[in-house]
Amino acid sequence: MTQAHDDLDDLFGAVAQRAPLPSDVLMARVMADAVAHQPGLVAVKRVPRAGLWDVILAALGGRGALAGLATATLAGVWIGFAQPLPVAALGLDLTGEVVQLFPDDESFFQNGTGVDGLFGTAEE
Amino acid sequence: MTMPFDTLTAASDEALLVLYANGDPVAARALADRLVPRLLRFATRMLNDATEAEDVAQEAMLRLWRIAPEWRTGEAKVSTWIWRVVANLCTDRLRKRRTVALDAGPEPEDGAPSALAGLIESDRAAALEAALTALPDRQRQAVVLRHLEGLTNPEIAEIMQIGVEAVESLTARGKRALSAMLAGRKAELGYDAEDGG
């Protein structure tokens, strides 16, 4: 039996040598299928280059921040154009009194050193 | 991007398949050059019909091209996958043959004494090829993959989707059957009739 198996192993080697080779026609058919079913080249997406405005916008903090800045700018322009009254004049209009928290040197020395001297009121 | 053909010949099957799926025009050729000859040999041994074997090899490669975009790397070996496809395609065709011609016997075509007249190696090889066609399909599959294609038993087990022990059993029974078939023709094949066996 061993001899028979040795013979068989020899024969397997001989059979393997007789292997059929693929014909050119078969390879052409296989390659035609490959071409027909090949997915297209995967295009590499080009990342758009950041422009000057994109850089500025990013530095400011984005579109939301830009909207806030624009609003503040317009408000500033409007305040400058309308010239609203000074705050002191606004207070006078409302109360009719001027509260002098820090009297000048003259008032300080003329009115003595008491609390009354420091915080005097002036009638308009 | 196209990789040089020389570089591709050293790449793994899986790498070539991924390259093909990504549109590399040369990868398909490298993969076909590597796989088609082996698939054709296997299909020819299984079907004993050159035309049908070519159709099977082409069909298997077609399935590979189709699956390439969805191929999940690292899950299965390309070679194992495609061997299995060929094995299944051959089994389907063999079943159809039996359905079409139930009385088609597995007798070797070249069993006539004239074909074995010369006591040369090629005749003995031809006798073995003929004997292979007489084996049951599963035995033939296992014997061809093991002894003609040189695959390991675990690889064959994966292709045939059976255990390694079952592969060993199939190849052992196949070889015994082949020995028995050839034993009666030893004198014709040029072996000493008094050899042990």
Side-chain angles (χ1 to χ4, degrees):
Chain A
M1 201 56 157
T2 306
Q3 178 67 44
H5 276 261
D6 288 347
D7 291 345
L8 204 53
D9 287 337
D10 290 345
L11 275 182
F12 281 132
V15 169
Q17 300 278 319
R18 294 159 49 101
L21 291 172
S23 64
D24 291 342
V25 175
L26 173 61
M27 291 308 286
R29 277 159 53 191
V30 169
M31 288 312 297
D33 287 342
V35 171
H37 291 86
Q38 184 164 31
L41 277 170
V42 178
V44 178
K45 268 193 177 174
R46 181 183 287 275
V47 178
R49 233 179 117 184
L52 179 63
W53 284 111
D54 294 319
V55 173
I56 292 171
L57 199 62
L60 291 175
R63 290 180 187 278
L66 188 66
L69 277 175
T71 307
T73 306
L74 286 173
V77 169
W78 179 79
I79 289 168
F81 180 75
Q83 291 183 336
L85 292 172
V87 176
L90 186 63
L92 192 62
D93 284 348
L94 291 173
T95 64
E97 287 187 344
V98 173
V99 178
Q100 192 173 11
L101 296 178
F102 296 99
D104 52 24
D105 294 346
E106 193 179 344
S107 303
F108 184 79
F109 291 114
Q110 282 180 357
N111 296 338
T113 56
V115 176
D116 291 341
L118 281 173
F119 298 103
T121 58
E123 290 292 330
E124 285 293 317
Chain B
M1 187 185 74
T2 304
M3 292 184 73
F5 193 80
D6 288 348
T7 310
L8 291 178
T9 52
S12 69
D13 294 344
E14 193 170 56
L16 290 175
L17 192 60
V18 171
L19 280 171
Y20 166 75
N22 286 335
D24 189 300
V26 188
R29 182 76 209 192
L31 202 52
D33 282 350
R34 190 180 296 177
L35 293 176
V36 173
R38 302 188 74 189
L39 303 181
L40 182 67
R41 281 202 305 263
F42 179 43
T44 305
R45 305 290 183 219
M46 288 303 299
L47 299 169
N48 202 30
D49 182 306
T51 307
E52 275 199 282
E54 286 195 345
D55 289 346
V56 164
Q58 185 186 1
E59 174 66 24
M61 291 304 291
L62 177 62
R63 292 186 187 192
L64 185 64
W65 306 139
R66 282 184 180 151
I67 206 172
E70 291 108 48
W71 186 264
R72 286 183 286 189
T73 54
E75 283 195 8
K77 279 177 74 177
V78 173
S79 57
T80 305
W81 182 88
I82 202 157
W83 278 119
R84 192 182 297 160
V85 170
V86 172
N88 291 339
L89 287 171
C90 288
T91 302
D92 289 348
R93 283 175 182 255
L94 291 168
R95 276 193 197 131
K96 271 184 197 165
R97 275 189 204 168
R98 284 188 207 104
T99 312
V100 171
L102 286 171
D103 59 346
E107 286 301 314
E109 293 168 5
D110 54 352
S114 58
L116 302 166
L119 305 180
I120 52 174
E121 188 74 2
S122 61
D123 289 330
R124 290 197 286 266
L128 177 59
E129 283 178 337
L132 272 171
T133 64
L135 285 182
D137 297 346
R138 301 286 279 176
Q139 281 184 27
R140 193 182 340 158
Q141 231 176 58
V143 168
V144 169
L145 290 173
R146 181 74 188 90
H147 295 286
L148 295 180
E149 293 303 326
L151 301 189
T152 63
N153 285 343
E155 284 174 321
I156 299 167
E158 212 175 327
I159 291 163
M160 296 181 72
Q161 295 177 293
I162 54 176
V164 174
E165 285 180 5
V167 173
E168 288 168 357
S169 169
L170 282 171
T171 50
R173 278 186 285 150
K175 284 182 79 174
R176 272 200 301 274
L178 289 173
S179 294
M181 278 186 263
L182 295 173
R185 304 168 74 178
K186 275 193 170 183
E188 298 172 79
L189 297 172
Y191 291 115
D192 183 353
E194 291 177 3
D195 276 349

